[in-house]
Amino acid sequence: DDLAAVRVDLKGTFLGQLQDKPVDGILGMNALKGTQFVMDLERKELRWWQGLEGHSLPLGYNPSGCPTFDITLSNTTVPCMVDTGATGGFQVPGEAGGSPDPEQTFYYASMAGSILEGRTFRVPRIPAGDRAWSDVDLDVVKPGEGTPQVGLTVLAAAPVAYDFLHNRITFTARSDGSLPYRKEPRRISLAWGSRTGERFLTIQPLRPASAYFKAGLRTGDHVLKVGPFEGETLSIKAVRDYLDKGEPHTWSVRRGAERVEVSVPAIR
C-alpha cells in the first residue's frame, strides 16, 4: 500500500529489445524492502516469506538504495550490487590492463543504450565470507560505465534467499562447500529491432575471434532463419536453445539488399 510508481516505456528501451516478450514492469527496492523470499529460477518460482539453508552474507546498500554484498578481489573488498536484471555474472568497472585479446572481449550496453566493449578474465577464486566461487569469469567494463554488480549467472545458478527484513542474502552451497555459478556457452547476442511496423532480429556486436564471425555472420545482419526457425517460430529463446546444442547449422540473413546464407560448424 501507499507506494510511488514510475511509469516508463520498458518495451521501447534496450531492455525490451533483448526480450521476445518485453516485461511490463519491474519490482524495485521500494517494493521489495521489508520482504523475504526465495528466488528459484529453475522452478520459475518466487516463494514469499521463506528462507533456505546455505551460505549467508550481510546485505548493505549503495547510495542509490540498491542491495549489495561484499566479494574479495586481489585482497580488496568490493561491494557488488545485486542485479537480477543483469544476464552476466561478476562485473566491475576499472582498467583491464594487458594486451587486447579478442577471445576475451564482450559487449555490453551503456546506460544510454549504446554498445561498449569490455574484457573478460577467468578468475580462479572470488571469496565472499568464508566461501568462494571457483573458476569464474570476471567482466571488466570501462570506468564510469557501471557499478560493481552480480547478475543472473550467479543469482540463477541455484535458489537464493533474499531477506530485506534482516538484510541477509543466502546462497545454496554445493556439496564441496563452493558457491554455485552457471557457466553458459558463448553464444551470439541478438536483439529485436523495428522499422515501419516490422519487427526483426538483429545480430549484436560479434567478437572477431568468434566462430560465428569466422563463419561469415556480421554485426547488424537481419536474421531471417536459423536452422529450422523462421517467421513466427523465430525468437531469441528459440535460437538460444537451438544453438546450445552446439550442432552444425545454417543462417539466412539480410545484409543490405542481399540475402546471405551462412554455414556455422559445430561449436562445443
Side-chain angles (χ1 to χ4, degrees):
D1 295 332
D2 196 26
L3 287 176
V6 179
R7 185 173 178 176
V8 180
D9 178 16
L10 296 175
K11 298 187 179 185
T13 65
F14 189 72
L15 171 67
Q17 296 172 28
L18 299 177
Q19 300 173 337
D20 291 321
K21 296 180 179 179
V23 296
D24 291 311
I26 295 174
L27 285 178
M29 283 308 301
N30 60 334
L32 294 176
K33 276 182 179 174
T35 66
Q36 295 171 305
F37 59 91
V38 173
M39 187 176 76
D40 187 343
L41 293 192
E42 237 179 67
R43 295 174 60 176
K44 298 182 178 179
E45 287 183 349
L46 280 178
R47 298 195 287 273
W48 294 102
W49 309 111
Q50 294 186 34
L52 51 79
E53 297 295 322
H55 181 54
S56 188
L57 296 169
L59 283 174
Y61 293 89
N62 65 18
S64 298
C66 299
T68 64
F69 65 87
D70 291 342
I71 64 172
T72 303
L73 292 173
S74 302
N75 297 319
T76 301
T77 299
V78 181
C80 285
M81 182 178 73
V82 179
D83 189 354
T84 57
T87 57
F90 297 97
Q91 175 183 291
V92 294
E95 295 296 338
S99 58
D101 180 357
E103 285 286 356
Q104 296 298 328
T105 298
F106 76 99
Y107 298 92
Y108 64 98
S110 71
M111 295 299 290
S114 58
I115 303 298
L116 301 172
E117 182 179 295
R119 296 281 307 284
T120 299
F121 296 86
R122 181 55 57 88
V123 180
R125 193 168 183 270
I126 296 182
D130 61 354
R131 294 284 187 271
W133 287 270
S134 302
D135 189 30
V136 298
D137 291 334
L138 175 67
D139 292 341
V140 179
V141 302
K142 296 178 182 178
E145 283 296 340
T147 57
Q149 67 182 33
V150 176
L152 287 178
T153 300
V154 176
L155 302 173
V160 177
Y162 300 83
D163 184 345
F164 296 123
L165 286 175
H166 306 96
N167 294 323
R168 308 288 296 180
I169 184 169
T170 304
F171 292 92
T172 306
R174 289 175 170 162
S175 57
D176 63 0
S178 66
L179 298 176
Y181 180 86
R182 185 180 64 188
K183 292 184 180 177
E184 294 185 352
R186 286 182 175 175
R187 53 192 182 190
I188 199 165
S189 180
L190 303 173
W192 288 103
S194 62
R195 185 175 56 220
T196 61
E198 178 195 7
R199 198 164 181 246
F200 49 84
L201 275 181
T202 61
I203 295 177
Q204 298 302 288
L206 281 173
R207 294 178 300 110
S210 74
Y212 300 104
F213 186 93
K214 291 177 178 177
L217 294 174
R218 293 294 179 263
T219 300
D221 284 348
H222 290 195
V223 182
L224 304 175
K225 183 178 181 181
V226 181
F229 299 101
E230 61 181 329
E232 296 200 0
T233 65
L234 186 67
S235 68
I236 293 176
K237 184 180 186 307
V239 173
R240 283 179 175 172
D241 290 346
Y242 180 70
L243 297 184
D244 281 352
K245 299 176 182 178
E247 299 172 352
H249 61 279
T250 58
W251 292 63
S252 294
V253 298
R254 179 76 62 192
R255 191 175 299 157
E258 183 182 7
R259 182 175 179 132
V260 180
E261 305 293 322
V262 176
S263 296
V264 177
I267 300 175
R268 300 296 179 186

